[in-house]
Every structure is written in structure tokens, then in C-alpha cells.
Amino acid sequence: MKNSQYKGVVVPMVTPVTDRGELDTAAVERIIEFFAQNHVAPLLMGTTGEGNSMSRADGLLLVDTAVKAAKGRILIYAGLTGNCFTEQLAQAEAYTQAGADVIVATLPSYYALTEEQMYEYYKTLADIIAGPLMLYNILATTHMSIPVEVVRRLADHPNIVGLKDSERDLERMQQCIAISKERDDFAYFCGWAAQSAYSLSLGGDGIVPSTGNFVPEIFNDLYEAAIKGDMDTANRLQDETNEIAKIYQAGRTLGQSLTALKVMMQTKGLCEPWMLMPLTRLDAEEEQAIATKAKAIR
């Protein structure tokens, strides 16, 4: 594996909020401490973190709170979403000044973009912002896929340090990992949690599993086993995490699964399952059933 600081387990952290929709800073501190103790880093304001639903002020407060709680022990990845480029530039600058180590940007998603528009968007963003930039490809929410050839071109930019790819396409995964393996300055992170072990076996640099909010220690063990070549252990842990994921994902929309994940985290005293509009909590009976299953896990 290449010698790079961009590697390992990066958990797309939930955003804990109160019943009034205010950022729960005490819960942020608890979650960051939980992550640091288990040697995983957070991706703030990603899809799991309801990034598109957060105000600019709360986004900055989240980054500031997380950076202070981390105390330099783990990297802080800050998600960048939205459709207004000037606002994105301002947010990226604010997050970097607050101490975020990497800006992770999805495509603006209101308009369908051509390949050249995608390239120019990321190139211009990388040209202007001060901190390192990571591409974030997630077809499920942006309804666009960054073509592999565009990824290849962007990998040449000195301020673009990697790709977080959540697209469920094994051929694409192999092609993007191949791009990363050709160079020491561009990392590949697998955002398809069910293929974490496989992506690492191919030479991926890191994994971004939402289930890591609940069991970061298992994903850290999975990563460590995979980079040592112990794929029997890595695959066993992969199967274990896949079963845990079913507790909050099976039969639910993406939005419903996120509040279900917070219910699981509540059983560990990490946060409460309140959501930012337009997402809402599940009914009490369903939350109780999820909590019961969560408590049964080691």
C-alpha cells in the first residue's frame, strides 16, 4: 500500500441534532471521541450526515466542534454539497480555517452536467480552495456518475487527493482503484460498505462505511486484516457488518435508514434519533424493535 495520510476507515458520521433541529454539540463530542478511540476518522456532512439539510452556520459549528474534540488524533473530512459555487467556496474556506483536513465535494445536482462541466467544476474548485480536495461520487443522490476518464484527468491536479466512490459498480471500482494504484498522490476510498473488504483486496486505500457509526472497531479490524493480507478475517468481519447493516437498512428508504442508525447509536449513549427536515423519526414501536436488535450485538 502507498505511503499516504489518506487511508484507513473514514466513517460518514451522522449529524446529531436536538428535537428542535439544533446541532447537538455534546453528542458530536461523544461521537468524535468514540471514533478516535477506535482509530477511525469522520466524514462530516456526507449523505449519512444529512449534509444537504444543514445550514451554513451549523456546518461550520459542526466542523469546529469536531476539530476541537479530535485534538489532532484523527483527520477531519468535511463534506461540501449544494448548487451555488460561490457559497461552496465560502464554506470550503471556512471549514479549512476551522481545521478540517480535507474537503470532500459531491457534484452540484440540480442540472444534468456534461463530462466537461464535471471536470471544470472540480478543477476550478481545486484551483481556488486552500485545503486538499477529494472527489465524492454518489449516483444514488446526485443522479450523475463522474466518468472514470474524468476521474483520471482530475487525479493529475495537485490539490485533488482522492476519490470517495459510493457507486455500486464492481467494474468501475476496479478501474478507479487502478488509477489510484498508478500514483502515490491520489487515494481511492470505497463508499460501498458491503464491498469494503473486496475493495481493499484490490488495493484500495480506505473504506467509508455508514455502519461504522455503530461498530467502528469492527471496521478498523477489517481494514487492518485486509492490509495485512488476512482476507479470511477481513471477509468474516465483512459478513458480520453486513448483517448489522440490515438492522437499520433492510426495507427502508435511505432517509429512514439514517434515523434507524441513530436509534442504534442511542443504545450506546452517543446521540438521539432526531432528524433534520425533511427527514423525520420512525414511530416508537419501530424504534424499540431496532433498539432491541442493536443491544443484542456484541
Side-chain angles (χ1 to χ4, degrees):
M1 183 167 293
K2 71 187 71 164
N3 181 22
S4 170
Q5 64 177 317
Y6 307 117
K7 60 186 177 181
V9 183
V10 177
V11 176
M13 190 179 115
V14 304
T15 297
V17 295
T18 68
D19 58 347
R20 299 177 62 182
E22 298 168 342
L23 186 69
D24 187 341
T25 54
V28 173
E29 292 169 351
R30 289 193 297 272
I31 296 169
I32 292 295
E33 183 61 31
F34 182 49
F35 285 4
Q37 290 180 3
N38 287 288
H39 314 293
V40 304
L43 165 58
L44 309 177
M45 295 173 287
T47 303
T48 304
E50 301 168 79
N52 273 294
S53 302
M54 291 192 69
S55 70
R56 181 174 172 180
D58 276 349
L60 181 54
L61 178 59
L62 174 57
V63 173
D64 184 65
T65 304
V67 168
K68 290 175 179 175
K71 301 175 183 176
R73 293 172 292 173
I74 51 179
L75 294 181
I76 302 296
Y77 295 75
L80 191 67
T81 60
N83 294 306
C84 178
F85 191 68
T86 55
E87 289 185 1
Q88 287 183 311
L89 291 177
Q91 288 174 297
E93 180 181 3
Y95 297 162
T96 300
Q97 296 225 351
D101 297 288
V102 188
I103 299 299
V104 186
T106 61
L107 285 168
S109 57
Y110 187 81
Y111 298 105
L113 303 177
T114 66
E115 292 189 16
E116 198 60 27
Q117 287 170 333
M118 294 181 194
Y119 174 79
E120 287 297 332
Y121 166 73
Y122 279 118
K123 179 184 179 299
T124 306
L125 187 60
D127 284 344
I128 298 173
I129 68 173
L133 175 67
M134 184 170 287
L135 316 176
Y136 182 174
N137 183 62
I138 178 162
L139 175 63
T141 57
T142 65
H143 309 293
M144 290 179 285
S145 175
I146 307 170
V148 173
E149 189 53 39
V150 173
V151 172
R152 188 184 308 278
R153 292 171 64 194
L154 290 168
D156 289 331
H157 195 291
N159 201 36
I160 296 179
V161 299
L163 166 70
K164 185 254 182 177
D165 202 329
S166 297
E167 191 162 338
R168 300 188 172 197
D169 183 328
L170 291 177
E171 182 179 359
R172 174 189 172 87
M173 176 192 293
Q174 294 162 1
Q175 292 170 339
C176 290
I177 289 176
I179 293 171
S180 175
K181 289 173 70 174
E182 292 171 357
R183 51 198 314 150
D184 290 331
D185 59 354
F186 188 81
Y188 175 89
F189 281 79
C190 178
W192 182 4
Q195 297 295 336
S196 294
Y198 178 64
S199 71
L200 293 169
S201 74
L202 293 178
D205 300 285
I207 54 177
V208 192
S210 60
T211 310
N213 280 282
F214 184 67
V215 284
E217 69 283 4
I218 299 181
F219 281 101
N220 186 59
D221 288 346
L222 185 159
Y223 171 78
E224 292 294 337
I227 63 172
K228 292 174 183 174
D230 182 2
M231 292 311 300
D232 286 343
T233 297
N235 288 326
R236 175 178 58 79
L237 294 173
Q238 180 73 77
D239 291 342
E240 186 175 338
T241 59
N242 289 348
E243 289 303 309
I244 294 171
K246 291 177 183 178
I247 296 174
Y248 70 95
Q249 292 177 349
R252 297 187 178 91
T253 65
L254 175 57
Q256 290 173 325
S257 75
L258 301 184
T259 187
L261 177 56
K262 287 184 180 179
V263 170
M264 294 177 69
M265 295 175 71
Q266 185 180 37
T267 67
K268 292 188 174 183
L270 294 169
C271 67
E272 295 187 6
W274 298 105
M275 306 298 290
L276 291 169
M277 288 292 291
L279 300 182
T280 57
R281 289 183 64 161
L282 304 171
D283 64 55
E285 183 177 352
E286 187 172 3
E287 287 190 2
Q288 183 57 53
I290 293 166
T292 299
K293 292 178 180 178
K295 290 175 182 177
I297 297 170
R298 70 178 190 185

